[in-house]
Structures are given as structure tokens and as C-alpha cells.
Amino acid sequence: MPDNGQAIGIDLGMLDFATFNKVEKVKSPKPLKKKLKRLRKLQRHLPLKRERK
């Protein structure tokens, strides 16, 4: 890449995955939160399945 005289700062953090020049933020991926929602739903239905047997 050619040098255009501009610098960019990238901050990697816990809440935001990356922040570019304090303006553009990229959210962190949250796979655990997504999986916990599914786990809660499956656990609610488990006792119902056991009663049917």
C-alpha cells in the first residue's frame, strides 16, 4: 500500500472487538450467550419429554 500520510489507530478490547479511530466499532462475537439461550429452551422442554414416557 502506498503511504498516504494518514495514521489509523486500532484498539482491541473486551466489550468491543475492535475500535478504529474512536468512531467505528466492531462488536465482539458472543457465541456463549447464543448457546445459553438455546440450552435454556432445551432444558425447559426436557421434563415434558420425560413425563410422556
Side-chain angles (χ1 to χ4, degrees):
M1 272 192 196
D3 185 19
N4 61 4
Q6 296 180 347
I8 184 169
I10 300 174
D11 179 35
L12 301 177
M14 296 295 286
L15 298 177
D16 295 318
F17 181 66
T19 305
F20 302 99
N21 288 337
K22 304 231 182 237
V23 179
E24 185 180 347
K25 293 184 179 184
V26 178
K27 290 289 182 187
S28 300
K30 302 217 185 321
L32 177 62
K33 189 173 185 178
K34 193 178 211 180
K35 298 295 181 184
L36 284 177
K37 286 175 80 174
R38 184 166 187 266
L39 178 61
R40 279 188 222 115
K41 181 180 176 183
L42 291 172
Q43 285 180 334
R44 280 193 308 259
H45 293 284
L46 185 62
L48 298 174
K49 288 183 177 182
R50 287 185 180 168
E51 287 178 7
R52 291 182 191 161
K53 288 185 177 181

